[in-house]
Amino acid sequence: MTFISFNYTLFLLIVLGIYWLTPRQSGRVFILLVASLIFYGTFQLQYIPLILIITLFNFYLAQAIGEPEDWRIANTQWNRRRLLLLWLGIICNVLLLLSFKYIPFLLNIIGIIYNLPKILETANWVDDNVTAPLGLSFFCFECLAYLIDIYRGAPAAASWLEFTSYKLFFPKLISGPITRYHYLQNQLGMTGKKNSEVLVKIPALKFPNLEKVTEGIWLIATGAAKKALIADNLGIFVDLSFSNLQRAGSGDLWLATVAYGLQLYLDFSAYVDIARGSAFLMGLNLPQNFDFPYFSKSIAEFWRRWHTTLGDWLRNYLYFPLGGSRVGLFGTCLNLLIVMLIAGIWHGAAWGFIVWGIWHGLGLVIHRLVDSFSKQFNLKKVWESWLGILLSWLLTQGMVFGGWIFFRLPNLRDSIWVIEHWWGYDADVQFADKVYLEVMGLERLQLVWLICVVVVAMVVNFWFHRGLKLQLNWHLKVLLVPVFLFTVWLLAPEGLPYIYFDF
């Protein structure tokens, strides 16, 4: 049941009807849980018992980690016990992630290093026969954040029903955004437990007014348009180009690289738009995940704008505990490399993701060194000039889009082949006819112009929001929503899966 489908539309309408007809907030929380289980069951019914067991484990572990009922027993021994329980939770969640997503990769490494054919066969068998639960990476990161927050003093969930409804909340379940428990707890009027008293949140959830309903439907409509009309069409070209590497020329590889960067952003941000729009209609607000990332003027700014909930998680639960920027310039650079290496590994079990993480880590290190050098020699005005801004933007986007090659082709043999053939390589004569004319129905130059139109539309959107600080009023959105939805229904190609479903 993908977001852009009649089944999801019908499912969402039924859920909203039952949800708002239920008078008590506790009943609505139960409706969310049932709806989420049904939603996930349409993808992987077999894994529902597993995710419920994991949720139950983290719920009770967090209660054990929470503050003691009597602070007189909060001594060194108690704090040591809490820390051990926290590490138990971290290890179990990480092992769960490793067991499903990284076992074949690790077995392959062991088999190659020690020349063990049986290990390699086992790795191939696991890779072919074991499918990881959808959204496992997001699921585990949320669990880790919750356990650490409780250890730091936040109140633990008092009800397993409420915690499970948060963990399995269907709009965010598979591809985020990564959402902390207490962020939704405050909106849903859930209860929290701290010491021996139960902190009761007064339910303030009300049926959204017309403007908020319009905003929710608008997010769903624009998300569907971005995904189906732009991202999926770009994805067709990207898939054809990267699956026929030896036939594509240097110009085709450059065009596919740029197209993939746009596809990835539009695909993922479209998912988040629909997720946020669905939550809006339930009176809830999920965090934004993108803030015009391709207008960033440094790699550090890019990570404040790209996948912001992942960036927030990396800062709060990895970078700061490692010491952040309080450990000197060398320690800060080392921390940045470690954090981005883990970010790369989180995205997938392949050397390409590791290289991608190190690539961004090196970018952050270079930015930190240049920033330190500029402050020391009073060169910040150079970077603040229009020429400095343009240069820094070009360098940032060159690094970001160049890194996407390792993201799209995590097999290093393929990604390195692309980089080696970015210059001076002619395409196969049949490539243009097959890919551009037969499949895309366009010539190469026409596709270039269409991509330029997409980029210009992004610039105009950025200028309206950031430059003029203007937004469409809800009346105009009401008029545009049916236009967008009808256009999607009429022109959308056969839907491609969301890219971040793999992560």
Side-chain angles (χ1 to χ4, degrees):
M1 190 195 302
T2 59
F3 274 171
I4 306 177
S5 66
F6 175 77
N7 288 338
Y8 180 75
T9 303
L10 182 61
F11 167 78
L12 183 61
L13 290 173
I14 293 173
V15 170
L16 288 173
I18 300 173
Y19 178 82
W20 286 115
L21 288 173
T22 303
R24 295 176 62 86
Q25 188 60 23
S26 58
R28 290 175 183 168
V29 172
F30 178 73
I31 295 301
L32 289 183
L33 174 57
V34 174
S36 299
L37 291 173
I38 294 172
F39 179 78
Y40 195 84
T42 62
F43 292 101
Q44 292 178 327
L45 184 63
Q46 71 275 21
Y47 282 132
I48 286 181
L50 175 64
I51 61 174
L52 288 175
I53 291 171
I54 302 167
T55 304
L56 184 66
F57 169 78
N58 282 281
F59 169 75
Y60 283 112
L61 190 63
Q63 289 202 323
I65 292 172
E67 298 172 357
E69 295 185 359
D70 188 345
W71 272 104
R72 288 175 295 183
I73 67 171
N75 51 28
T76 303
Q77 183 178 358
W78 171 261
N79 288 326
R80 189 181 299 117
R81 177 177 177 270
R82 294 178 69 229
L83 183 59
L84 289 174
L85 289 173
L86 173 63
W87 275 108
L88 173 64
I90 292 173
I91 291 171
C92 288
N93 281 286
V94 171
L95 284 178
L96 175 72
L97 196 56
L98 286 172
S99 63
F100 274 103
K101 296 190 68 174
Y102 303 99
I103 288 298
F105 179 63
L106 296 174
L107 289 177
N108 263 312
I109 294 175
I110 295 170
I112 292 172
I113 292 175
Y114 295 102
N115 192 23
L116 300 172
K118 289 186 177 180
I119 296 294
L120 292 173
E121 290 177 8
T122 303
N124 292 331
W125 183 90
V126 173
D127 194 34
D128 293 337
N129 294 277
V130 178
T131 304
L134 285 174
L136 184 64
S137 298
F138 291 92
F139 192 91
C140 289
F141 266 33
E142 284 187 345
C143 287
L144 292 173
Y146 175 66
L147 294 177
I148 295 171
D149 285 346
I150 301 307
Y151 179 78
R152 290 173 175 175
S159 163
W160 181 78
L161 172 64
E162 293 175 349
F163 179 69
T164 308
S165 297
Y166 145 75
K167 277 301 298 131
L168 305 185
F169 185 43
F170 68 87
K172 70 170 184 65
L173 177 57
I174 297 177
S175 291
I178 299 171
T179 309
R180 299 187 194 182
Y181 167 73
H182 299 92
Y183 183 88
L184 277 183
Q185 177 201 30
N186 295 331
Q187 297 181 53
L188 279 168
M190 294 176 175
T191 56
K193 186 176 182 181
K194 189 171 184 178
N195 298 338
S196 58
E197 62 178 296
V198 174
L199 306 177
V200 180
K201 304 289 184 181
I202 300 174
L205 197 60
K206 296 180 180 178
F207 188 84
N209 58 30
L210 183 58
E211 187 172 350
K212 290 184 177 180
V213 170
T214 303
E215 183 63 24
I217 300 174
W218 170 256
L219 284 171
I220 293 173
T222 53
K226 281 198 295 186
K227 162 67 174 170
L229 298 180
I230 307 176
D232 283 358
N233 279 296
L234 290 174
I236 293 171
F237 169 69
V238 170
D239 290 345
L240 287 170
S241 298
F242 287 142
S243 61
N244 295 277
L245 289 178
Q246 284 72 26
R247 294 189 170 190
S250 297
D252 304 310
L253 295 176
W254 275 107
L255 189 58
T257 301
V258 173
Y260 177 69
L262 295 174
Q263 178 206 359
L264 181 63
Y265 166 66
L266 293 168
D267 185 278
F268 194 14
S269 64
Y271 180 96
V272 175
D273 285 345
I274 298 174
R276 295 186 69 237
S278 301
F280 254 122
L281 298 178
M282 300 176 201
L284 304 172
N285 185 24
L286 292 176
Q288 292 187 11
N289 222 19
F290 295 94
D291 184 20
F292 300 103
Y294 288 152
F295 293 89
S296 304
K297 299 180 293 295
S298 71
I299 198 67
E301 183 183 355
F302 173 80
W303 274 101
R304 290 193 294 270
R305 294 182 171 202
W306 173 273
H307 204 340
T308 55
T309 56
L310 175 62
D312 179 73
W313 194 99
L314 294 171
R315 280 190 299 272
N316 283 284
Y317 304 108
L318 276 178
Y319 182 65
F320 291 152
L322 287 172
S325 58
R326 304 185 306 275
V327 290
L329 185 59
F330 176 80
T332 300
C333 293
L334 181 60
N335 289 341
L336 290 171
L337 279 172
I338 293 172
V339 168
M340 293 314 300
L341 174 61
I342 293 174
I345 294 172
W346 176 80
H347 278 91
W351 286 109
F353 293 115
I354 294 174
V355 171
W356 176 82
I358 295 173
W359 175 254
H360 276 266
L362 289 173
L364 290 171
V365 167
I366 293 171
H367 171 263
R368 182 57 63 102
L369 293 174
V370 170
D371 188 59
S372 177
F373 181 83
S374 299
K375 288 179 180 177
Q376 186 176 354
F377 293 94
N378 196 25
L379 298 176
K380 293 202 72 175
K381 290 183 179 179
V382 175
W383 295 106
E384 292 172 354
S385 66
W386 71 267
L387 184 60
I389 291 173
L390 178 61
L391 179 61
S392 59
W393 178 80
L394 288 172
L395 289 172
T396 300
Q397 302 314 314
M399 181 171 190
V400 169
F401 277 81
W404 287 140
I405 288 296
F406 299 100
F407 205 84
R408 177 59 179 78
L409 300 171
N411 185 320
L412 288 183
R413 183 175 56 187
D414 294 335
S415 51
I416 292 174
W417 196 96
V418 170
I419 294 171
E420 290 176 344
H421 291 79
W422 265 343
W423 292 274
Y425 187 73
D426 294 328
D428 185 291
V429 177
Q430 294 182 340
F431 182 86
D433 291 335
K434 294 290 184 182
V435 173
Y436 293 101
L437 297 178
E438 290 188 17
V439 178
M440 304 299 297
L442 300 167
E443 294 184 358
R444 182 187 288 110
L445 186 59
Q446 291 175 318
L447 182 60
V448 170
W449 279 114
L450 283 177
I451 290 177
C452 289
V453 169
V454 172
V455 172
V456 169
M458 292 169 63
V459 171
V460 171
N461 189 35
F462 176 78
W463 181 60
F464 265 93
H465 280 82
R466 288 299 181 86
L468 300 178
K469 300 186 183 302
L470 295 176
Q471 290 189 8
L472 300 177
N473 60 46
W474 69 270
H475 305 85
L476 188 55
K477 289 178 179 178
V478 168
L479 295 176
L480 290 176
V481 161
V483 176
F484 282 1
L485 294 178
F486 179 74
T487 306
V488 168
W489 176 76
L490 191 65
L491 300 178
E494 184 176 350
L496 299 178
Y498 285 97
I499 295 174
Y500 260 75
F501 273 21
D502 292 335
F503 308 131

